[in-house]
Amino acid sequence: MEIVRVPVLSDNYSWLVHDADSGATIVVDPGEAQPVLDAAAARGWTIDAIWTTHWHPDHVGGNAGVVAATGATVIGPEAERAKIGALDRGVAEGDTVAIGAHEARVMHVPGHTAGHIAFHLADDAAIFTGDTLFALGCGRLFEGSPEQMFDNFRRYADLPGETRVYCGHEYTQSNGRFALSVEPANEALVARMAEVDRLRAAGEPTVPTTIAQEQATNPFMRATNVGEFKRLREGKDSFRG
């Protein structure tokens, strides 16, 4: 299985996923259509399905264009059907979706939005977390509570450390500055941020990350209780570093 990062809008990432055995291709969260259509065409791929993590326009804005060009099936959270629009298949916690022989389990991870989901491909050690778990960070709580997001992060922390995390934005550098303000003596974090700064200076991406990296350096993943998590989220909301 091949996963290709496609930059869209100002700082979003959509993800093309291709299974060579079946020839199937899906796209996760196409914020706009043309970049993902172009990236697929350049590889000789045709998009068969769209996997949507949540309803925000920067994650579904390209759905209609991709469907118009390819006839792709739109799969996303049933709880957000009314906000997403044309949803061919609504899914919820515990459901499965597939690309070829590769199966993803749906996780309901509310907080950023009420119906937000993640797609976990356990056998491929990969997870698409949308705007919940970011590299070195955590999504804003627009429609949920710290308790919900803390529970999500405990679930993520239970995944194997080698699991690759494909999130929806290039926020790592700003997230890392906040993380350093929380744990300035965390040597793993200091080293990681030096690499993040190097990559961004060269115009290179910083994701995907891994669960193990986040356990070692992400303050939200390292929070031990809801109160600590809430204080961190409030601190990040007002951070201007």
Side-chain angles (χ1 to χ4, degrees), residues 178-190:
F178 173 72
L180 282 172
S181 77
V182 175
E183 285 193 292
N186 182 331
E187 293 182 1
L189 174 59
V190 171

Side-chain angles (χ1 to χ4, degrees), residues 94-158:
D95 288 339
T96 58
V97 296
I99 170 172
H102 304 266
E103 189 173 83
R105 181 172 62 90
V106 175
M107 299 171 62
H108 180 218
V109 285
H112 184 69
T113 66
H116 199 301
I117 59 175
F119 297 95
H120 178 215
L121 293 113
D123 291 344
D124 297 282
I127 187 167
F128 296 93
T129 59
D131 285 0
T132 54
L133 172 59
F134 289 124
L136 290 173
C138 161
R140 286 181 178 270
L141 301 177
F142 290 123
E143 298 180 1
S145 67
E147 289 80 7
Q148 287 176 316
M149 194 67 91
F150 178 74
D151 287 345
N152 297 339
F153 272 58
R154 291 306 89 209
R155 295 183 71 188
Y156 289 144
D158 286 339

Side-chain angles (χ1 to χ4, degrees), residues 44 70 72 117 122 176 217 235 241:
T70 67
I117 59 175
T217 57

Side-chain angles (χ1 to χ4, degrees), residues 11-15 28-30 51-56 58-60 77 107 109 112-113 116-120 126-135 137-140 149 152-153 156 164-171 175 207 209:
D11 56 21
N12 279 68
Y13 289 133
S14 299
W15 301 96
V28 181
D29 288 351
W51 293 0
T52 298
T53 62
H54 66 293
W55 68 267
H56 285 167
D58 61 328
H59 290 255
V60 303
M107 299 171 62
V109 285
H112 184 69
T113 66
H116 199 301
I117 59 175
F119 297 95
H120 178 215
I127 187 167
F128 296 93
T129 59
D131 285 0
T132 54
L133 172 59
F134 289 124
C138 161
R140 286 181 178 270
M149 194 67 91
N152 297 339
F153 272 58
Y156 289 144
R164 299 181 308 282
V165 177
Y166 298 88
C167 58
H169 289 272
E170 182 57 69
Y171 287 167
N175 286 341
V207 294
T209 177

Side-chain angles (χ1 to χ4, degrees), residues 185-198:
N186 182 331
E187 293 182 1
L189 174 59
V190 171
R192 185 176 179 190
M193 272 305 291
E195 177 64 6
V196 166
D197 288 341
R198 184 192 70 77

Side-chain angles (χ1 to χ4, degrees), residues 44 48 71 75 77 83 85 87 92 120 135 138 155 169 177 202-203 226 231:
D48 304 291
I75 301 169
K83 293 183 176 181
L87 190 64
H120 178 215
C138 161
R155 295 183 71 188
H169 289 272
R177 293 187 186 117
V226 173
R231 289 190 295 274

